[in-house]
Amino acid sequence: MDTIELKQIIKDPVSPADFQTIQDEARDCLEFGTIQDKMDFADYISEILSANGSALDKANAEMLDQYETLWALLAFGAFVAYHSADQDNLIRTRLLFAVQRGFETDDIIRQYYYFFNSDDFISYNLKLFVKSIEQNTETLGDFPISIDGKRMLPQIKYWVLDYSKYPSLVARRGGVERLNYINHSGNIVQLTQVQRQNLLEILKFYDDLQNPSRPFLKNEKADVQEAISVPVDVPAAPLPKVPQPAPQAAVQQNFSQPFANIQIDIQGKLDDLRKRTQE
């Protein structure tokens, strides 16, 4: 069902029964929904968190985390339709979080190849996100890492810097080079196996953005038309909004501040997507 129908049957989104319904519908949306469906659902979850985030942080931290997870997965699931500033924010502040929750970064690249025909245009735009990763401030690990004799916070931007400085016999790095870094860099010792897998996923995304290639797309044109099946008169709306609970509430620390002013021009972006898929 769409979010309008869902809102009509949900009475209390923080009750276990209603939360289970929302979670089930969100999972279906992630698997089968269009770009617009995912944007709408992300906005709905944002509304729930804005109204209930403070209370959930005190009473049910697990449900709060699950709502945040759904929000991030839906946002990345509709990544291609967002304004460039919003895309930059997502990668700089929520990429690791999404990866830890099961998001596969290949999906972002697939979205671009679904929506656009020009490989040069796609390559140019994807390479812009390289800098976004290089500015990511999410933390992976509990101890500082050493780069050129200097101690750095274990943030993604410094992990990527350490990786880029690690010796490589080839200019275009791939799976072999990433595994060599993961298996031999002294900084990696502090990471658990799961954390290493998360870092590998991000490093793969980092490499793929610099040298993107068109994946095999079945029924590409049909998928494009389905993905952008949005009514022409859909108004622009700010999506997704970041929940803003009371100033002293601890839950504020759970949301990255750069998201506070996200404004997404959906109609303009989708119109642009339609024009480019017709070129």
Side-chain angles (χ1 to χ4, degrees), residues 80 105-127 172 208-221 223-224 227 273 276-277:
V80 70
T105 56
D106 287 346
D107 185 55
I108 291 177
I109 295 177
R110 284 195 295 268
Q111 288 178 42
Y112 269 83
Y113 281 103
Y114 271 118
F115 275 96
F116 303 109
N117 289 327
S118 170
D119 286 3
D120 289 339
F121 174 84
I122 295 168
S123 178
Y124 172 80
N125 280 273
L126 290 178
K127 287 180 179 180
R172 181 170 179 170
D208 290 346
L209 288 174
Q210 297 179 74
N211 298 285
S213 59
R214 181 174 288 276
F216 173 74
L217 301 178
K218 184 178 181 180
N219 298 326
E220 181 174 340
K221 284 296 182 180
D223 290 336
V224 169
L273 293 178
R276 296 194 179 279
T277 56

Side-chain angles (χ1 to χ4, degrees), residues 38-67:
K38 293 170 186 176
M39 282 183 158
D40 289 344
F41 219 126
D43 188 49
Y44 177 43
I45 291 178
S46 180
E47 293 173 4
I48 293 172
L49 289 171
S50 293
N52 302 281
S54 297
L56 280 176
D57 184 58
K58 297 175 182 178
N60 196 334
E62 181 180 354
M63 183 181 291
L64 174 62
D65 181 74
Q66 291 173 326
Y67 265 127

Side-chain angles (χ1 to χ4, degrees), residues 21-191:
T21 299
I22 292 171
Q23 189 176 47
D24 291 343
E25 291 296 325
R27 295 296 179 185
D28 285 345
C29 183
L30 284 167
E31 185 171 359
F32 304 111
T34 66
I35 293 295
Q36 184 66 55
D37 293 334
K38 293 170 186 176
M39 282 183 158
D40 289 344
F41 219 126
D43 188 49
Y44 177 43
I45 291 178
S46 180
E47 293 173 4
I48 293 172
L49 289 171
S50 293
N52 302 281
S54 297
L56 280 176
D57 184 58
K58 297 175 182 178
N60 196 334
E62 181 180 354
M63 183 181 291
L64 174 62
D65 181 74
Q66 291 173 326
Y67 265 127
E68 288 180 315
T69 295
L70 292 174
W71 183 89
L73 293 177
L74 288 161
F76 276 103
F79 185 87
V80 70
Y82 289 167
H83 188 277
S84 58
D86 306 319
Q87 294 173 329
D88 175 63
N89 263 333
L90 280 169
I91 292 179
R92 284 192 295 107
T93 62
R94 277 293 190 265
L95 179 63
L96 175 61
F97 180 85
V99 166
Q100 289 171 329
R101 269 59 179 183
F103 177 69
E104 297 181 358
T105 56
D106 287 346
D107 185 55
I108 291 177
I109 295 177
R110 284 195 295 268
Q111 288 178 42
Y112 269 83
Y113 281 103
Y114 271 118
F115 275 96
F116 303 109
N117 289 327
S118 170
D119 286 3
D120 289 339
F121 174 84
I122 295 168
S123 178
Y124 172 80
N125 280 273
L126 290 178
K127 287 180 179 180
L128 296 177
F129 303 137
V130 171
K131 292 189 178 298
S132 301
I133 297 179
E134 292 174 343
Q135 296 173 1
N136 184 292
T137 56
E138 294 176 282
T139 298
L140 181 66
D142 299 320
F143 304 99
I145 63 176
S146 178
I147 303 177
D148 294 336
K150 299 179 180 179
R151 288 164 63 86
M152 304 291 189
L153 293 173
Q155 296 176 335
I156 292 300
K157 63 181 181 179
Y158 293 124
W159 283 113
V160 169
L161 177 62
D162 187 45
Y163 169 66
S164 67
K165 287 178 172 290
Y166 196 79
S168 174
L169 298 177
V170 297
R172 181 170 179 170
R173 301 191 184 203
V176 173
E177 288 70 37
R178 290 190 292 272
L179 284 174
N180 188 46
Y181 168 73
I182 291 293
N183 290 329
H184 298 98
S185 170
N187 286 321
I188 298 294
V189 175
Q190 65 158 302
L191 299 181

